[in-house]
């Protein structure tokens, strides 16, 4: 039996290329995990949850889709954007590593690593540290070369593509 990986998914479009890459270039069994309390307002959290469900169906992988929502932690954040994003990556790494440990996964990673707009090296550090904390191996993949391809696939599949990062502050350009 092959090892398995819990893939944190931030949204449908970002997941398409990452799933292809993991299926084609590893022998891991992939399960998606949608857990993004940083996406605001609630309707948007559900819209991206829907895009993730569509993407996982199109790629034929199982998905665990949460609907955790937490606007207060982001709304009340007073420090810099860089520090806010660090907190945001940490929250999602923690949720995913914890879930992976609970369910007995060997590995975890995230579709956040496809985005050219995120702080890639910082995320790598956070996911590595969090994996160690929960006893889950972090599989690092630089998915960024497939960002455009994934967005193109989303267009072709008619999957919703959002226009802002996710939190209430990013909605207003902060
Ligand atoms: S801008 Fe994006 S990564 Fe940064 S805190 Fe907001 S949702 Fe999270």
């Amino acid at each position: 039996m092959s090892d398995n990986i819990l893939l944190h998914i931030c949204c449908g479009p970002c997941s398409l290329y990452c799933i292809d890459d993991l299926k084609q270039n590893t022998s891991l069994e992939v399960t998606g995990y949608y857990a993004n309390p940083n996406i605001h307002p609630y309707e948007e959290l559900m819209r991206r949850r829907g895009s993730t469900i569509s993407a996982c169906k199109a790629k034929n992988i199982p998905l665990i889709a949460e609907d955790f929502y937490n606007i207060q932690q982001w709304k009340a954040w007073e420090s810099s954007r860089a520090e806010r994003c660090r907190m945001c990556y940490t929250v999602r790494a923690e949720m995913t590593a914890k879930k992976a440990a609970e369910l007995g996964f060997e590995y975890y990673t995230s579709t956040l690593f496809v985005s050219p707009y995120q702080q890639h090296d910082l995320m790598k550090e956070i996911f590595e540290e969090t994996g160690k904390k929960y006893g889950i191996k972090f599989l690092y993949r630089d998915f960024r070369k497939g960002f455009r391809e994934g967005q193109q696939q989303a267009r072709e599949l008619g999957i919703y593509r959002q226009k802002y990062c996710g939190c209430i502050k990013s909605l207003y350009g902060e």
Side-chain angles (χ1 to χ4, degrees), residues 10 16-17 21 37-38 43 45 48 64 68 74 77 82-83 97 106 109 111 114 118 126 128 140-141 155 165 173:
C10 58
L16 295 163
Y17 172 82
D21 176 77
N38 60 303
E43 294 69 32
L45 175 79
R48 295 190 200 184
I64 301 164
F68 299 127
W74 278 261
W77 193 262
E83 285 305 307
E106 286 278 313
T109 193
T111 59
V114 81
Q118 303 295 346
I126 291 170
E128 262 161 10
Y140 172 65
R141 305 284 294 174
R155 259 183 230 109
C165 190

Side-chain angles (χ1 to χ4, degrees), residues 5-94:
I5 184 164
L6 192 62
L7 172 66
H8 166 261
I9 297 181
C10 58
C11 64
C14 283
S15 71
L16 295 163
Y17 172 82
C18 302
I19 298 168
D20 284 347
D21 176 77
L22 291 171
K23 280 185 162 185
Q24 287 161 18
N25 299 312
T26 75
S27 58
L28 299 166
E29 294 287 335
V30 186
T31 295
Y33 185 53
Y34 180 80
N36 300 290
N38 60 303
I39 297 174
H40 316 134
Y42 185 74
E43 294 69 32
E44 182 69 12
L45 175 79
M46 298 313 279
R47 212 172 283 137
R48 295 190 200 184
R49 187 178 186 273
S51 77
T52 300
I53 292 170
S54 303
C56 290
K57 266 193 194 142
K59 297 293 175 188
N60 198 23
I61 65 157
L63 170 71
I64 301 164
E66 312 280 16
D67 54 8
F68 299 127
Y69 183 70
N70 178 356
I71 195 168
Q72 283 314 323
Q73 195 170 337
W74 278 261
K75 206 171 171 183
W77 193 262
E78 285 182 353
S79 181
S80 65
R81 173 169 177 153
E83 285 305 307
R84 188 180 83 224
C85 296
R86 174 191 284 275
M87 170 277 285
C88 188
Y89 303 142
T90 306
V91 165
R92 289 179 285 169
E94 286 267 344

